[in-house]
Coordinates of all heavy atoms in Angstrom, one line a residue:
E1 N -94.0 -28.8 -94.3 CA -94.1 -27.4 -94.6 C -93.4 -27.0 -95.9 O -92.3 -27.6 -96.1 CB -93.6 -26.5 -93.5 CG -94.4 -26.6 -92.2 CD -93.8 -25.7 -91.1 OE1 -93.2 -24.7 -91.4 OE2 -94.0 -26.0 -90.0
F2 N -93.9 -26.1 -96.7 CA -93.2 -25.6 -97.9 C -93.0 -24.1 -97.8 O -93.9 -23.4 -97.2 CB -94.1 -25.9 -99.1 CG -94.3 -27.4 -99.4 CD1 -95.3 -28.1 -98.8 CD2 -93.3 -28.1 -100.2 CE1 -95.5 -29.4 -99.1 CE2 -93.5 -29.4 -100.4 CZ -94.6 -30.1 -99.9
Y3 N -91.9 -23.7 -98.4 CA -91.7 -22.2 -98.4 C -91.3 -21.8 -99.8 O -90.7 -22.6 -100.5 CB -90.5 -21.9 -97.4 CG -90.8 -22.1 -96.0 CD1 -90.6 -23.3 -95.4 CD2 -91.3 -21.0 -95.3 CE1 -90.9 -23.5 -94.0 CE2 -91.6 -21.2 -93.9 CZ -91.4 -22.4 -93.3 OH -91.8 -22.5 -92.0
D4 N -91.6 -20.6 -100.1 CA -91.2 -20.0 -101.4 C -90.4 -18.8 -101.0 O -90.9 -17.9 -100.2 CB -92.4 -19.5 -102.2 CG -92.0 -18.8 -103.4 OD1 -90.9 -19.0 -104.0 OD2 -92.8 -17.9 -103.9
F5 N -89.1 -18.7 -101.4 CA -88.3 -17.6 -101.1 C -87.3 -17.4 -102.2 O -87.0 -18.3 -102.9 CB -87.7 -17.7 -99.7 CG -86.7 -18.8 -99.6 CD1 -85.3 -18.6 -99.7 CD2 -87.1 -20.1 -99.4 CE1 -84.4 -19.6 -99.6 CE2 -86.2 -21.2 -99.3 CZ -84.8 -20.9 -99.4
E6 N -86.8 -16.1 -102.3 CA -85.8 -15.8 -103.2 C -84.6 -15.3 -102.4 O -84.7 -14.7 -101.4 CB -86.3 -14.6 -104.1 CG -87.4 -15.0 -105.0 CD -87.9 -13.8 -105.8 OE1 -87.1 -12.9 -106.0 OE2 -89.1 -13.8 -106.1
I7 N -83.4 -15.7 -102.9 CA -82.2 -15.3 -102.3 C -81.4 -14.4 -103.2 O -81.2 -14.8 -104.4 CB -81.4 -16.5 -101.9 CG1 -82.1 -17.4 -100.9 CG2 -80.0 -16.2 -101.3 CD1 -81.5 -18.7 -100.5
T8 N -81.0 -13.3 -102.7 CA -80.2 -12.3 -103.5 C -79.1 -11.9 -102.6 O -79.3 -11.5 -101.4 CB -81.1 -11.1 -103.8 OG1 -82.3 -11.6 -104.5 CG2 -80.4 -10.2 -104.8
R9 N -77.9 -11.8 -103.1 CA -76.8 -11.2 -102.4 C -77.0 -9.7 -102.3 O -77.4 -9.1 -103.3 CB -75.4 -11.5 -103.1 CG -75.0 -12.9 -102.9 CD -73.6 -13.1 -103.5 NE -73.2 -14.5 -103.4 CZ -72.3 -14.9 -102.5 NH1 -71.7 -14.1 -101.7 NH2 -72.0 -16.2 -102.4
L10 N -76.8 -9.2 -101.1 CA -77.0 -7.8 -100.9 C -75.7 -7.1 -100.5 O -74.8 -7.7 -99.9 CB -78.0 -7.6 -99.7 CG -79.4 -8.2 -99.9 CD1 -80.2 -8.0 -98.6 CD2 -80.1 -7.5 -101.0
K11 N -75.7 -5.8 -100.7 CA -74.7 -4.9 -100.1 C -75.5 -3.9 -99.3 O -75.7 -2.7 -99.8 CB -74.0 -4.2 -101.2 CG -72.8 -4.9 -101.8 CD -71.7 -5.0 -100.7 CE -70.3 -4.9 -101.4 NZ -69.3 -5.0 -100.3
P12 N -76.1 -4.3 -98.1 CA -76.9 -3.3 -97.4 C -76.1 -2.1 -96.9 O -74.9 -2.2 -96.7 CB -77.4 -4.2 -96.2 CG -76.4 -5.3 -96.1 CD -75.8 -5.5 -97.5
S13 N -76.8 -1.1 -96.7 CA -76.1 0.1 -96.1 C -77.0 0.7 -95.0 O -78.1 0.3 -94.8 CB -75.9 1.2 -97.2 OG -77.2 1.5 -97.8
G14 N -76.4 1.6 -94.3 CA -77.2 2.2 -93.2 C -77.1 1.3 -91.9 O -76.1 0.7 -91.7
F15 N -78.3 1.2 -91.2 CA -78.3 0.5 -90.0 C -79.5 -0.4 -89.9 O -80.5 -0.2 -90.6 CB -78.5 1.6 -88.8 CG -77.3 2.5 -88.7 CD1 -77.4 3.7 -89.5 CD2 -76.3 2.3 -87.9 CE1 -76.4 4.6 -89.4 CE2 -75.2 3.2 -87.9 CZ -75.3 4.3 -88.6
G16 N -79.3 -1.5 -89.3 CA -80.3 -2.5 -89.1 C -80.4 -2.9 -87.6 O -79.6 -2.5 -86.8
V17 N -81.4 -3.7 -87.3 CA -81.6 -4.2 -85.9 C -81.5 -5.7 -85.9 O -82.3 -6.4 -86.5 CB -82.9 -3.8 -85.3 CG1 -83.1 -4.3 -83.9 CG2 -83.1 -2.3 -85.3
Q18 N -80.4 -6.2 -85.3 CA -80.2 -7.7 -85.3 C -81.0 -8.2 -84.1 O -80.8 -7.8 -83.0 CB -78.8 -8.1 -85.2 CG -78.6 -9.6 -85.2 CD -77.2 -10.1 -85.5 OE1 -76.4 -9.3 -86.2 NE2 -76.8 -11.2 -85.1
I19 N -81.8 -9.2 -84.3 CA -82.6 -9.7 -83.2 C -82.1 -11.0 -82.7 O -82.5 -11.5 -81.6 CB -84.1 -9.9 -83.6 CG1 -84.2 -10.9 -84.8 CG2 -84.8 -8.6 -83.9 CD1 -85.5 -11.6 -84.8
G20 N -81.2 -11.7 -83.5 CA -80.7 -12.9 -83.0 C -79.8 -13.6 -84.0 O -79.6 -13.1 -85.1
T21 N -79.1 -14.7 -83.5 CA -78.3 -15.5 -84.3 C -78.7 -16.9 -84.2 O -79.0 -17.4 -83.1 CB -76.8 -15.4 -83.9 OG1 -76.4 -14.0 -84.0 CG2 -75.8 -16.2 -84.8
Y22 N -78.9 -17.6 -85.3 CA -79.4 -19.0 -85.3 C -78.5 -19.9 -86.1 O -77.8 -19.6 -87.0 CB -80.8 -18.9 -86.0 CG -81.7 -18.0 -85.3 CD1 -81.8 -16.6 -85.7 CD2 -82.5 -18.4 -84.3 CE1 -82.6 -15.7 -85.0 CE2 -83.3 -17.4 -83.6 CZ -83.3 -16.1 -84.0 OH -84.1 -15.2 -83.3
Q23 N -78.6 -21.2 -85.7 CA -77.9 -22.2 -86.5 C -78.9 -23.0 -87.4 O -78.5 -23.5 -88.4 CB -77.2 -23.2 -85.5 CG -75.9 -22.8 -85.0 CD -75.3 -23.9 -84.1 OE1 -75.5 -24.0 -82.9 NE2 -74.5 -24.7 -84.8
E24 N -80.1 -23.2 -86.9 CA -81.1 -23.9 -87.7 C -81.8 -23.1 -88.8 O -82.4 -22.1 -88.4 CB -82.2 -24.5 -86.7 CG -81.6 -25.6 -85.8 CD -81.3 -26.8 -86.5 OE1 -81.9 -27.2 -87.5 OE2 -80.3 -27.5 -86.1
L25 N -81.5 -23.5 -90.0 CA -82.1 -22.7 -91.1 C -83.6 -22.7 -91.1 O -84.3 -21.7 -91.4 CB -81.6 -23.3 -92.4 CG -81.6 -22.4 -93.6 CD1 -81.0 -21.0 -93.3 CD2 -80.9 -23.1 -94.8
V26 N -84.3 -23.8 -90.7 CA -85.7 -23.9 -90.7 C -86.3 -22.9 -89.7 O -87.2 -22.1 -90.0 CB -86.2 -25.3 -90.3 CG1 -87.7 -25.3 -90.1 CG2 -85.8 -26.3 -91.4
N27 N -85.7 -22.7 -88.5 CA -86.2 -21.8 -87.5 C -86.0 -20.4 -88.1 O -86.9 -19.5 -87.9 CB -85.4 -21.9 -86.2 CG -85.6 -23.2 -85.5 OD1 -86.6 -23.9 -85.8 ND2 -84.7 -23.6 -84.7
L28 N -84.9 -20.1 -88.7 CA -84.6 -18.8 -89.3 C -85.6 -18.4 -90.3 O -86.1 -17.3 -90.4 CB -83.2 -18.8 -89.9 CG -82.8 -17.5 -90.6 CD1 -82.2 -16.6 -89.7 CD2 -81.9 -17.8 -91.8
M29 N -86.0 -19.4 -91.2 CA -86.9 -19.1 -92.3 C -88.3 -18.8 -91.7 O -89.0 -17.8 -92.1 CB -87.0 -20.3 -93.2 CG -85.8 -20.5 -94.1 SD -85.7 -22.0 -95.0 CE -87.3 -22.2 -95.7
R30 N -88.8 -19.5 -90.7 CA -90.1 -19.3 -90.1 C -90.1 -17.9 -89.5 O -91.0 -17.1 -89.6 CB -90.4 -20.3 -89.0 CG -90.8 -21.6 -89.6 CD -91.3 -22.5 -88.4 NE -91.4 -23.9 -88.9 CZ -90.9 -25.0 -88.4 NH1 -90.1 -24.8 -87.3 NH2 -91.1 -26.2 -88.9
L31 N -89.1 -17.6 -88.7 CA -89.0 -16.3 -88.0 C -88.9 -15.1 -89.0 O -89.6 -14.1 -88.9 CB -87.8 -16.3 -87.0 CG -87.7 -15.0 -86.2 CD1 -89.0 -14.8 -85.4 CD2 -86.6 -15.2 -85.2
A32 N -88.1 -15.3 -90.0 CA -88.0 -14.3 -91.1 C -89.3 -14.0 -91.7 O -89.6 -12.8 -91.9 CB -86.9 -14.7 -92.1
E33 N -90.0 -15.0 -92.0 CA -91.3 -14.8 -92.7 C -92.3 -14.1 -91.7 O -92.9 -13.1 -92.2 CB -91.9 -16.2 -93.0 CG -93.3 -16.1 -93.6 CD -93.9 -17.5 -93.8 OE1 -93.6 -18.4 -93.0 OE2 -94.6 -17.7 -94.8
N34 N -92.3 -14.4 -90.5 CA -93.2 -13.8 -89.5 C -92.8 -12.3 -89.3 O -93.7 -11.4 -89.2 CB -93.2 -14.5 -88.2 CG -93.9 -15.9 -88.2 OD1 -94.7 -16.1 -89.1 ND2 -93.5 -16.7 -87.3
L35 N -91.5 -12.0 -89.2 CA -91.0 -10.7 -89.0 C -91.3 -9.8 -90.2 O -91.8 -8.6 -90.0 CB -89.6 -10.7 -88.7 CG -89.1 -11.3 -87.4 CD1 -87.6 -11.5 -87.4 CD2 -89.6 -10.4 -86.2
K36 N -91.1 -10.3 -91.4 CA -91.4 -9.5 -92.6 C -92.8 -9.1 -92.7 O -93.1 -8.0 -93.0 CB -91.0 -10.4 -93.8 CG -90.8 -9.6 -95.1 CD -90.2 -10.5 -96.1 CE -89.8 -9.7 -97.4 NZ -89.3 -10.5 -98.4
S37 N -93.7 -10.0 -92.4 CA -95.1 -9.7 -92.5 C -95.6 -8.9 -91.3 O -96.5 -8.0 -91.5 CB -96.0 -11.0 -92.6 OG -95.9 -11.8 -91.5
S38 N -95.1 -9.1 -90.1 CA -95.5 -8.3 -88.9 C -95.0 -6.9 -89.0 O -95.8 -6.0 -88.6 CB -94.9 -9.0 -87.7 OG -95.5 -10.2 -87.5
Y39 N -93.8 -6.7 -89.4 CA -93.2 -5.3 -89.3 C -93.1 -4.6 -90.6 O -92.7 -3.4 -90.7 CB -91.8 -5.4 -88.6 CG -91.9 -5.8 -87.2 CD1 -91.6 -7.1 -86.8 CD2 -92.4 -4.9 -86.2 CE1 -91.7 -7.6 -85.5 CE2 -92.5 -5.3 -84.9 CZ -92.2 -6.6 -84.5 OH -92.3 -7.0 -83.2
K40 N -93.4 -5.3 -91.7 CA -93.3 -4.7 -93.1 C -91.9 -4.0 -93.3 O -91.8 -2.9 -93.9 CB -94.4 -3.6 -93.3 CG -95.8 -4.1 -93.0 CD -96.3 -5.2 -93.9 CE -97.7 -5.6 -93.6 NZ -97.9 -7.0 -93.5
K41 N -90.9 -4.7 -92.9 CA -89.5 -4.3 -93.2 C -88.7 -5.4 -93.8 O -89.0 -6.6 -93.7 CB -88.8 -4.0 -91.8 CG -89.5 -2.9 -91.0 CD -89.1 -1.6 -91.4 CE -89.7 -0.5 -90.5 NZ -89.9 0.7 -91.2
Q42 N -87.7 -5.0 -94.5 CA -86.8 -5.9 -95.2 C -86.1 -6.7 -94.1 O -85.7 -6.2 -93.1 CB -85.8 -5.2 -96.1 CG -84.9 -6.2 -96.8 CD -84.0 -5.5 -97.8 OE1 -84.2 -4.3 -98.1 NE2 -83.0 -6.2 -98.3
V43 N -85.9 -8.0 -94.3 CA -85.2 -8.9 -93.4 C -84.0 -9.4 -94.1 O -84.0 -9.8 -95.3 CB -86.1 -10.1 -93.0 CG1 -85.3 -11.1 -92.1 CG2 -87.3 -9.6 -92.2
T44 N -82.8 -9.2 -93.5 CA -81.5 -9.5 -94.1 C -80.9 -10.6 -93.2 O -81.0 -10.6 -92.0 CB -80.6 -8.3 -94.1 OG1 -81.2 -7.3 -94.8 CG2 -79.2 -8.6 -94.8
V45 N -80.2 -11.5 -93.8 CA -79.5 -12.6 -93.1 C -78.1 -12.5 -93.4 O -77.6 -12.4 -94.5 CB -80.0 -14.0 -93.6 CG1 -79.2 -15.1 -92.9 CG2 -81.5 -14.2 -93.3
Q46 N -77.3 -12.4 -92.3 CA -75.8 -12.4 -92.4 C -75.3 -13.8 -92.1 O -75.6 -14.3 -91.0 CB -75.2 -11.3 -91.5 CG -73.7 -11.3 -91.6 CD -73.0 -10.4 -90.6 OE1 -73.6 -10.2 -89.6 NE2 -71.8 -9.9 -90.9
V47 N -74.5 -14.4 -93.0 CA -74.0 -15.7 -92.7 C -72.6 -15.6 -92.2 O -71.7 -14.9 -92.8 CB -73.9 -16.6 -94.0 CG1 -73.4 -18.0 -93.7 CG2 -75.3 -16.7 -94.6
K48 N -72.3 -16.2 -91.1 CA -71.0 -16.2 -90.4 C -70.6 -17.6 -90.2 O -71.4 -18.5 -89.9 CB -71.1 -15.5 -89.1 CG -71.6 -14.1 -89.1 CD -71.7 -13.6 -87.6 CE -72.5 -12.3 -87.6 NZ -72.7 -11.8 -86.3
V49 N -69.3 -17.9 -90.3 CA -68.7 -19.2 -90.1 C -67.7 -19.0 -88.9 O -66.8 -18.3 -89.0 CB -68.0 -19.8 -91.3 CG1 -67.4 -21.2 -91.0 CG2 -69.0 -19.9 -92.5
V50 N -68.0 -19.7 -87.8 CA -67.1 -19.7 -86.7 C -66.8 -21.1 -86.4 O -67.6 -22.0 -86.1 CB -67.8 -19.0 -85.5 CG1 -66.9 -19.0 -84.2 CG2 -68.2 -17.6 -85.8
N51 N -65.5 -21.4 -86.3 CA -65.0 -22.8 -86.1 C -65.7 -23.9 -87.0 O -66.2 -24.9 -86.5 CB -65.1 -23.2 -84.6 CG -64.3 -22.3 -83.7 OD1 -63.2 -21.9 -84.1 ND2 -64.8 -22.0 -82.5
S52 N -65.8 -23.5 -88.2 CA -66.5 -24.4 -89.2 C -68.0 -24.6 -89.0 O -68.5 -25.5 -89.6 CB -65.8 -25.8 -89.3 OG -64.4 -25.6 -89.6
V53 N -68.6 -23.8 -88.2 CA -70.0 -23.9 -88.0 C -70.7 -22.6 -88.5 O -70.3 -21.5 -88.2 CB -70.4 -24.0 -86.5 CG1 -71.9 -24.0 -86.2 CG2 -69.7 -25.2 -85.9
K54 N -71.7 -22.8 -89.3 CA -72.4 -21.7 -89.9 C -73.5 -21.1 -88.9 O -74.2 -21.9 -88.2 CB -73.2 -22.0 -91.2 CG -72.3 -22.1 -92.3 CD -73.1 -22.3 -93.6 CE -72.1 -22.3 -94.8 NZ -72.8 -22.6 -96.1
Y55 N -73.5 -19.8 -88.8 CA -74.5 -19.1 -88.0 C -75.1 -18.0 -88.8 O -74.5 -17.4 -89.7 CB -73.8 -18.4 -86.8 CG -73.2 -19.3 -85.8 CD1 -71.8 -19.7 -85.9 CD2 -73.9 -19.8 -84.8 CE1 -71.3 -20.5 -85.0 CE2 -73.4 -20.7 -83.8 CZ -72.0 -21.0 -84.0 OH -71.5 -21.9 -83.0
Y56 N -76.4 -17.8 -88.6 CA -77.2 -16.9 -89.4 C -77.7 -15.8 -88.5 O -78.5 -16.0 -87.6 CB -78.4 -17.7 -90.1 CG -78.0 -18.9 -90.9 CD1 -77.9 -20.1 -90.3 CD2 -77.5 -18.7 -92.2 CE1 -77.5 -21.2 -91.1 CE2 -77.1 -19.8 -92.9 CZ -77.1 -21.0 -92.3 OH -76.7 -22.1 -93.1
G57 N -77.2 -14.6 -88.8 CA -77.7 -13.4 -88.0 C -79.0 -12.9 -88.7 O -78.9 -12.6 -89.9
L58 N -80.0 -12.6 -88.0 CA -81.3 -12.1 -88.5 C -81.4 -10.6 -88.2 O -81.5 -10.3 -87.1 CB -82.4 -12.9 -88.0 CG -83.8 -12.7 -88.6 CD1 -83.7 -13.1 -90.1 CD2 -84.8 -13.7 -88.0
I59 N -81.4 -9.8 -89.3 CA -81.4 -8.4 -89.2 C -82.6 -7.8 -89.8 O -82.9 -8.2 -91.0 CB -80.1 -7.8 -89.8 CG1 -78.9 -8.4 -89.2 CG2 -80.1 -6.3 -89.7 CD1 -77.6 -8.2 -90.0
I60 N -83.3 -6.9 -89.1 CA -84.5 -6.3 -89.7 C -84.2 -4.9 -90.0 O -83.6 -4.1 -89.3 CB -85.7 -6.3 -88.6 CG1 -85.9 -7.7 -88.1 CG2 -86.9 -5.7 -89.3 CD1 -86.9 -7.8 -87.0
G61 N -84.7 -4.5 -91.2 CA -84.6 -3.1 -91.7 C -83.3 -2.6 -92.2 O -82.3 -3.2 -92.0
Q62 N -83.3 -1.5 -93.0 CA -82.2 -0.8 -93.5 C -82.6 0.7 -93.3 O -83.3 1.2 -94.0 CB -81.9 -1.1 -94.9 CG -81.2 -2.5 -95.1 CD -80.8 -2.7 -96.5 OE1 -80.2 -1.7 -97.2 NE2 -80.9 -3.9 -97.0
F63 N -82.1 1.2 -92.2 CA -82.4 2.6 -91.8 C -81.3 3.5 -92.1 O -80.1 3.2 -92.1 CB -82.7 2.6 -90.3 CG -83.8 1.7 -89.9 CD1 -83.6 0.5 -89.4 CD2 -85.2 2.2 -90.0 CE1 -84.6 -0.4 -89.0 CE2 -86.2 1.3 -89.6 CZ -85.9 0.0 -89.1
S64 N -81.7 4.7 -92.5 CA -80.7 5.7 -93.0 C -79.9 6.3 -91.9 O -78.8 6.9 -92.1 CB -81.4 6.8 -93.8 OG -82.4 7.5 -93.0
S65 N -80.4 6.2 -90.6 CA -79.7 6.8 -89.5 C -79.7 5.8 -88.3 O -80.7 5.0 -88.2 CB -80.2 8.1 -89.1 OG -81.5 8.0 -88.4
R66 N -78.8 5.9 -87.4 CA -78.8 5.1 -86.2 C -80.0 5.4 -85.3 O -80.6 4.6 -84.7 CB -77.5 5.4 -85.4 CG -77.4 4.7 -84.1 CD -76.1 4.8 -83.3 NE -75.0 4.0 -83.9 CZ -74.9 2.7 -83.7 NH1 -75.7 2.1 -82.9 NH2 -73.9 2.0 -84.3
T67 N -80.4 6.7 -85.3 CA -81.6 7.1 -84.5 C -82.8 6.4 -84.9 O -83.6 5.9 -84.1 CB -81.7 8.7 -84.6 OG1 -80.5 9.3 -84.2 CG2 -82.9 9.1 -83.8
K68 N -83.0 6.3 -86.2 CA -84.2 5.6 -86.8 C -84.1 4.1 -86.4 O -85.1 3.5 -86.1 CB -84.3 5.8 -88.3 CG -84.7 7.2 -88.7 CD -84.8 7.3 -90.2 CE -85.2 8.7 -90.5 NZ -85.3 8.9 -92.0
A69 N -83.0 3.5 -86.5 CA -82.8 2.1 -86.1 C -83.1 1.9 -84.6 O -83.7 1.0 -84.2 CB -81.4 1.6 -86.5
E70 N -82.6 2.9 -83.8 CA -82.9 2.8 -82.3 C -84.4 2.9 -82.0 O -84.9 2.2 -81.1 CB -82.1 3.9 -81.6 CG -80.6 3.6 -81.6 CD -79.7 4.7 -81.1 OE1 -80.3 5.8 -80.9 OE2 -78.5 4.5 -80.9
Q71 N -85.0 3.8 -82.7 CA -86.5 3.9 -82.5 C -87.2 2.6 -82.9 O -88.1 2.2 -82.1 CB -87.0 5.1 -83.4 CG -86.6 6.4 -82.9 CD -87.0 7.5 -83.8 OE1 -87.4 7.3 -85.0 NE2 -86.8 8.8 -83.4
F72 N -86.8 2.0 -83.9 CA -87.4 0.7 -84.3 C -87.1 -0.4 -83.3 O -87.9 -1.2 -82.9 CB -87.0 0.3 -85.7 CG -87.6 -1.0 -86.2 CD1 -88.9 -1.0 -86.5 CD2 -86.9 -2.1 -86.3 CE1 -89.6 -2.2 -87.0 CE2 -87.5 -3.3 -86.7 CZ -88.8 -3.3 -87.1
R73 N -85.8 -0.4 -82.8 CA -85.4 -1.4 -81.8 C -86.3 -1.3 -80.6 O -86.7 -2.3 -80.0 CB -83.9 -1.2 -81.4 CG -83.5 -2.2 -80.4 CD -82.1 -1.9 -79.9 NE -82.0 -0.6 -79.3 CZ -80.9 0.0 -79.0 NH1 -79.7 -0.6 -79.2 NH2 -80.9 1.2 -78.4
E74 N -86.7 -0.1 -80.2 CA -87.6 0.1 -79.0 C -88.9 -0.6 -79.3 O -89.5 -1.1 -78.3 CB -87.8 1.6 -78.7 CG -86.5 2.2 -78.1 CD -85.9 1.5 -77.0 OE1 -86.6 1.1 -76.0 OE2 -84.7 1.2 -77.0
R75 N -89.4 -0.7 -80.5 CA -90.7 -1.4 -80.8 C -90.5 -2.9 -80.6 O -91.5 -3.6 -80.3 CB -91.1 -1.1 -82.2 CG -91.6 0.2 -82.5 CD -92.0 0.4 -84.0 NE -92.9 -0.6 -84.5 CZ -93.1 -0.8 -85.8 NH1 -92.6 -0.1 -86.7 NH2 -94.0 -1.8 -86.2
L76 N -89.3 -3.4 -80.7 CA -89.0 -4.8 -80.6 C -88.6 -5.3 -79.3 O -88.5 -6.5 -79.0 CB -87.8 -5.2 -81.6 CG -88.0 -4.9 -83.1 CD1 -86.7 -5.1 -83.8 CD2 -89.2 -5.7 -83.7
R77 N -88.4 -4.3 -78.3 CA -87.8 -4.6 -77.0 C -88.5 -5.7 -76.2 O -87.9 -6.5 -75.6 CB -87.7 -3.4 -76.2 CG -86.5 -2.5 -76.4 CD -85.3 -3.2 -75.8 NE -84.2 -2.2 -75.9 CZ -83.0 -2.6 -76.1 NH1 -82.7 -3.8 -76.2 NH2 -82.0 -1.7 -76.2
K78 N -89.9 -5.7 -76.3 CA -90.6 -6.7 -75.5 C -90.4 -8.1 -76.0 O -90.2 -9.0 -75.2 CB -92.1 -6.4 -75.5 CG -92.4 -5.2 -74.6 CD -93.9 -4.9 -74.5 CE -94.2 -3.7 -73.6 NZ -95.6 -3.4 -73.6
K79 N -90.4 -8.3 -77.3 CA -90.3 -9.6 -77.9 C -88.8 -10.0 -78.0 O -88.5 -11.2 -77.9 CB -90.9 -9.7 -79.3 CG -92.4 -9.7 -79.2 CD -93.0 -10.0 -80.5 CE -94.5 -10.0 -80.5 NZ -95.1 -10.3 -81.8
F80 N -87.9 -9.1 -78.3 CA -86.5 -9.3 -78.5 C -85.6 -8.4 -77.7 O -85.1 -7.4 -78.2 CB -86.2 -9.2 -80.0 CG -87.0 -10.0 -80.9 CD1 -88.1 -9.4 -81.6 CD2 -86.8 -11.3 -81.1 CE1 -88.9 -10.2 -82.4 CE2 -87.6 -12.1 -81.9 CZ -88.6 -11.6 -82.6
P81 N -85.6 -8.6 -76.3 CA -84.9 -7.7 -75.4 C -83.4 -7.6 -75.7 O -82.7 -6.6 -75.4 CB -85.1 -8.4 -74.1 CG -85.5 -9.8 -74.3 CD -86.1 -9.8 -75.6
D82 N -82.8 -8.6 -76.4 CA -81.3 -8.5 -76.7 C -81.0 -8.0 -78.1 O -79.9 -8.0 -78.5 CB -80.7 -9.9 -76.6 CG -80.8 -10.5 -75.2 OD1 -80.8 -9.7 -74.2 OD2 -81.0 -11.7 -75.0
A83 N -82.0 -7.4 -78.8 CA -81.8 -6.9 -80.1 C -80.8 -5.7 -80.0 O -80.8 -5.0 -79.0 CB -83.1 -6.3 -80.7
F84 N -80.0 -5.6 -81.1 CA -79.0 -4.5 -81.1 C -78.8 -4.0 -82.5 O -79.2 -4.6 -83.5 CB -77.6 -5.0 -80.5 CG -77.0 -6.2 -81.2 CD1 -76.1 -6.0 -82.2 CD2 -77.4 -7.5 -80.9 CE1 -75.5 -7.1 -82.9 CE2 -76.9 -8.6 -81.6 CZ -75.9 -8.4 -82.6
I85 N -78.2 -2.8 -82.5 CA -78.0 -2.1 -83.8 C -76.8 -2.6 -84.6 O -75.7 -2.8 -84.0 CB -77.8 -0.6 -83.5 CG1 -79.0 0.0 -82.7 CG2 -77.7 0.2 -84.9 CD1 -80.3 -0.1 -83.3
I86 N -77.0 -2.7 -85.9 CA -75.9 -3.2 -86.8 C -75.6 -2.0 -87.7 O -76.5 -1.4 -88.3 CB -76.3 -4.4 -87.6 CG1 -76.4 -5.6 -86.8 CG2 -75.4 -4.6 -88.8 CD1 -75.1 -6.2 -86.3
D87 N -74.3 -1.6 -87.9 CA -73.9 -0.6 -88.9 C -73.4 -1.4 -90.1 O -72.3 -2.0 -90.1 CB -72.9 0.2 -88.3 CG -72.4 1.3 -89.3 OD1 -72.7 1.3 -90.5 OD2 -71.8 2.3 -88.8
F88 N -74.3 -1.5 -91.1 CA -73.9 -2.3 -92.3 C -72.6 -1.9 -92.9 O -71.9 -2.7 -93.5 CB -75.0 -2.3 -93.3 CG -76.2 -3.1 -93.0 CD1 -77.5 -2.5 -92.7 CD2 -76.2 -4.5 -92.9 CE1 -78.6 -3.2 -92.4 CE2 -77.3 -5.2 -92.6 CZ -78.5 -4.6 -92.4
N89 N -72.3 -0.6 -92.8 CA -71.1 -0.1 -93.5 C -69.8 -0.6 -92.8 O -68.8 -0.5 -93.4 CB -71.1 1.5 -93.5 CG -72.3 2.0 -94.2 OD1 -72.7 1.4 -95.3 ND2 -73.0 3.0 -93.7
K90 N -69.9 -1.1 -91.6 CA -68.7 -1.6 -90.8 C -68.6 -3.1 -90.9 O -67.7 -3.6 -90.3 CB -68.8 -1.1 -89.4 CG -68.7 0.4 -89.3 CD -68.6 0.8 -87.8 CE -68.4 2.3 -87.7 NZ -68.4 2.8 -86.3
L91 N -69.5 -3.8 -91.6 CA -69.4 -5.2 -91.7 C -68.6 -5.7 -92.9 O -68.6 -5.0 -93.9 CB -70.8 -5.8 -91.7 CG -71.7 -5.6 -90.5 CD1 -73.0 -6.3 -90.7 CD2 -71.0 -6.2 -89.3

């Protein structure tokens, strides 16, 4: 498989919906591509290092209010029951 993608460092603001945390970059890339085309929202990846292991948090959308993020999360509930709201300003 081949992928074309651009990586840009972001300073996101507002609220997003995190659907999961992944270790495998290939799984993350496939899912991010599918989510972006399915929901027509920006997909953001947060890289975290815990005990020298990298984890990739997959976050959909940048909403101006928590209420808008919560409404979007409800659309995702069936496929991603553990999705939760991220406040970018607190990260």
Side-chain angles (χ1 to χ4, degrees):
E1 292 182 28
F2 295 92
Y3 291 88
D4 175 30
F5 64 98
E6 295 178 26
I7 297 177
T8 307
R9 284 184 183 254
L10 299 175
K11 274 290 214 182
S13 61
F15 300 87
V17 180
Q18 182 164 333
I19 60 152
T21 301
Y22 303 88
Q23 278 187 272
E24 292 291 325
L25 201 50
V26 172
N27 295 338
L28 176 89
M29 288 170 43
R30 283 188 191 127
L31 186 54
E33 177 186 35
N34 290 338
L35 291 169
K36 197 172 186 179
S37 63
S38 295
Y39 294 103
K40 307 295 186 232
K41 300 278 184 208
Q42 182 172 351
V43 175
T44 303
V45 176
Q46 181 188 25
V47 181
K48 303 174 191 175
V49 178
V50 179
N51 296 327
S52 302
V53 178
K54 280 189 181 177
Y55 294 94
Y56 305 94
L58 193 55
I59 305 165
I60 306 174
Q62 286 188 39
F63 300 93
S64 59
S65 71
R66 177 174 283 279
T67 302
K68 288 180 181 179
E70 287 170 352
Q71 289 169 351
F72 184 71
R73 181 184 59 188
E74 289 308 311
R75 286 180 52 195
L76 302 175
R77 277 285 189 214
K78 286 184 183 177
K79 287 188 179 181
F80 304 100
D82 297 328
F84 59 95
I85 306 298
I86 291 288
D87 182 345
F88 286 116
N89 301 319
K90 292 184 179 179
L91 297 180

